[in-house]
Amino acid sequence: MKDESILIKYIGNTPKLRVIDFLIDNMPFDYSKKEIIEGSGISKTTFFKIWKDFVKYKIVIPTRKYGKTQLFTINRGHILIKQLLSLEFALANEYAEKIAKSVSRMQKQKLSA
């Protein structure tokens, strides 16, 4: 499994958030249910327990069919997804600033040594 995303580190590692995180990280693309299960790293049983809510609340939307397989993507227009994207962006900026300060401090220490 890949490293935890900023959202998962801050909000928690739940199956619903892992599915959302996978779809946000891969936003330009659409996926089958099987691919979402594999990409998010959750069990098939857990996936089908939570999937109903994703469809019911339109967090995911169907995009196209590939043979008999329906593909889905994250609903960028959904208020929850907009807010999560905003939060992820803010957290990423905060993290980048911490890294930049740390690098700057290390460079100053090398120059003074």
Side-chain angles (χ1 to χ4, degrees):
M1 188 167 140
K2 68 176 186 160
D3 292 334
E4 287 184 342
S5 73
I6 290 175
L7 277 179
I8 289 176
K9 284 180 184 178
Y10 278 78
I11 298 175
N13 189 352
T14 67
K16 283 185 178 182
L17 189 57
R18 286 173 61 181
V19 169
I20 289 171
D21 187 57
F22 170 74
L23 291 170
I24 284 175
D25 286 350
N26 299 286
M27 242 189 316
F29 307 106
D30 51 3
Y31 293 93
S32 68
K33 291 176 186 175
K34 180 181 179 188
E35 291 168 325
I36 295 169
I37 291 166
E38 292 170 358
S40 59
I42 63 173
S43 74
K44 193 184 289 189
T45 304
T46 300
F47 174 82
F48 284 105
K49 284 181 184 176
I50 65 174
W51 187 250
K52 295 177 281 191
D53 288 341
F54 282 88
V55 174
K56 178 181 176 181
Y57 297 114
K58 296 185 172 89
I59 293 169
V60 296
I61 50 176
T63 54
R64 61 191 169 107
K65 282 197 171 192
Y66 187 76
K68 293 181 181 180
T69 304
Q70 179 68 57
L71 302 181
F72 296 87
T73 193
I74 197 83
N75 182 356
R76 297 179 203 188
H78 193 283
I79 187 69
L80 173 67
I81 302 308
K82 287 180 182 180
Q83 293 298 315
L84 285 173
L85 286 168
S86 178
L87 176 61
E88 185 171 37
F89 182 73
L91 293 172
N93 280 339
E94 180 182 302
Y95 183 75
E97 287 174 12
K98 285 181 185 178
I99 296 294
K101 286 178 184 177
S102 176
V103 168
S104 177
R105 229 183 348 260
M106 290 172 54
Q107 289 174 340
K108 287 179 185 178
Q109 288 175 347
K110 284 184 180 181
L111 291 175
S112 64

